């Protein structure tokens, strides 16, 4: 449920800026993934270690007002992950840079652009339940370099993911397509934002074919907190939407 997790999704959401009390319909899309470069795994299990490459592009569009591109975040980094029995973890060093859309700036000649970019060292530890029906994780990050230079450095993060039992998907008589209910919550708090907790909740269903690694998810989304994207990180928003997610 981390809105900045590199993955592929498209979300249409009603977004309310809480300070100005204005609402707009935003399209939020992302293209990204964690790619394994080197892996050593215990045969017949998921236990092992991996060094990878993460890439992600996160963009937001104003769907019904000039269809303008508001912002794009570019993310690239190196994750190291491991898993043993019911524990897993990830340490990654990554870079993010944020860029406002041309149409957004042209429509707002007085808008002050900020050069917002950083490199963050992040660590996450996860406790995984038997049979994979749930996961609880916690960790945080430290900005090793940032622009603007007066940004506070620390971040905390925690969350939970729950998966129900899978069932034969309706409309598919062979039984090879399965459907699973999902529920997930992600929480973040930043030193820069006085440790106010940002909440992202997801609920919906996942479809997959037996033996395949690809997943299709349709999820309802609710977010409350500071804007997770771009240089408007100090803007408090509330969003609700529906999204299509692809996993590989």
């Amino acid at each position: 449920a981390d809105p900045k997790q590199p993955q592929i999704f498209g979300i249409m959401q009603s977004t309310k800026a809480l300070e100005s009390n204005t609402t707009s319909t935003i399209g939020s899309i992302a293209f990204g993934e964690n790619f394994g470069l080197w892996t050593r795994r215990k045969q017949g299990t998921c236990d092992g270690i991996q060094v990878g490459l993460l890439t992600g592009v996160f963009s937001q569009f104003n769907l019904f007002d000039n269809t303008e591109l508001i912002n794009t975040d570019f993310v690239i980094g190196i994750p190291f992950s491991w898993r043993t029995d019911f524990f897993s973890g990830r340490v990654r060093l990554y870079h993010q840079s944020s860029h406002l859309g041309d149409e957004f700036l042209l429509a707002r000649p007085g808008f002050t652009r900020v050069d917002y970019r950083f490199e963050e060292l992040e660590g996450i530890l996860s406790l995984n339940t038997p049979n994979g029906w749930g996961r609880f994780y916690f960790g945080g990050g430290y900005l090793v370099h940032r622009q603007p230079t007066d940004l506070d450095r620390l971040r905390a993060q925690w969350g939970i993911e729950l998966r129900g039992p899978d069932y034969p998907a309706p409309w598919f008589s062979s039984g090879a397509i399965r459907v699973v209910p999902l529920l997930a919550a992600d929480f973040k708090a930043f030193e820069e934002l006085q440790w106010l907790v940002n909440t992202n909740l997801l609920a919906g269903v996942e479809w997959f074919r037996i033996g395949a690694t690809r997943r299709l998810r349709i999820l309802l989304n609710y977010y409350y907190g500071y804007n997770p994207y771009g240089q408007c990180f100090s803007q408090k928003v509330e969003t609700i939407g529906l999204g299509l997610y692809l996993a590989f």
Side-chain angles (χ1 to χ4, degrees), residues 120 140-143 151-156 189-193 195:
E120 183 180 53
Y142 178 83
L143 298 181
L151 291 174
D152 291 322
R153 295 180 184 269
L154 297 178
R155 170 175 65 86
F190 295 83
E191 181 184 12
E192 175 69 22
L193 302 171
W195 299 110

Side-chain angles (χ1 to χ4, degrees), residues 32-242:
E33 189 55 85
N34 289 290
F35 302 97
L37 300 179
W38 179 83
T39 300
R40 176 161 294 180
R41 182 179 299 172
K42 185 186 299 184
Q43 187 173 4
T45 73
C46 293
D47 294 352
I49 59 175
Q50 178 171 280
V51 179
L53 172 70
L54 71 89
T55 60
V57 179
F58 302 85
S59 294
Q60 300 81 50
F61 296 85
N62 196 329
L63 290 181
F64 300 119
D65 185 9
N66 302 322
T67 62
E68 61 186 6
L69 170 63
I70 300 171
N71 173 79
T72 299
D73 293 341
F74 297 93
V75 178
I76 187 169
I78 301 293
F80 170 80
S81 56
W82 60 270
R83 180 185 178 100
T84 176
D85 295 326
F86 303 126
F87 293 94
S88 59
R90 181 184 71 192
V91 176
R92 63 179 184 175
L93 178 65
Y94 71 96
H95 166 84
Q96 175 183 306
S97 61
S98 300
H99 305 270
L100 295 171
D102 292 339
E103 298 90 346
F104 179 87
L105 290 173
L106 288 172
R108 298 164 180 80
F111 190 88
T112 302
R113 177 186 173 275
V114 176
D115 184 16
Y116 182 59
R117 51 190 170 86
F118 60 82
E119 286 80 44
E120 183 180 53
L121 181 64
E122 176 201 75
I124 297 289
L125 181 65
S126 172
L127 173 62
N128 310 290
T129 63
N131 302 318
W133 60 264
R135 185 168 80 95
F136 171 74
Y137 59 90
F138 64 93
Y142 178 83
L143 298 181
V144 296
H145 176 267
R146 73 272 200 223
Q147 186 68 34
T149 57
D150 59 350
L151 291 174
D152 291 322
R153 295 180 184 269
L154 297 178
R155 170 175 65 86
Q157 181 177 5
W158 63 98
I160 188 170
E161 301 171 356
L162 300 175
R163 298 174 60 89
D166 61 273
Y167 301 95
W171 315 302
F172 296 94
S173 59
S174 67
I177 306 297
R178 313 290 288 186
V179 61
V180 180
L182 302 176
L183 180 66
D186 181 80
F187 306 95
K188 289 183 181 179
F190 295 83
E191 181 184 12
E192 175 69 22
L193 302 171
Q194 291 73 56
W195 299 110
L196 184 142
V197 177
N198 305 300
T199 301
N200 194 45
L201 306 176
L202 297 176
V205 292
E206 172 186 275
W207 285 270
F208 68 95
R209 181 184 294 274
I210 295 176
T213 59
R214 293 186 294 274
R215 300 289 191 269
L216 171 66
R217 301 170 183 142
I218 297 179
L219 301 173
L220 289 170
N221 169 279
Y222 174 78
Y223 181 86
Y224 183 90
Y226 288 103
N227 195 327
Y229 302 112
Q231 72 171 61
C232 298
F233 55 85
S234 60
Q235 178 193 41
K236 190 176 288 187
V237 298
E238 182 179 30
T239 73
I240 184 168
L242 180 66

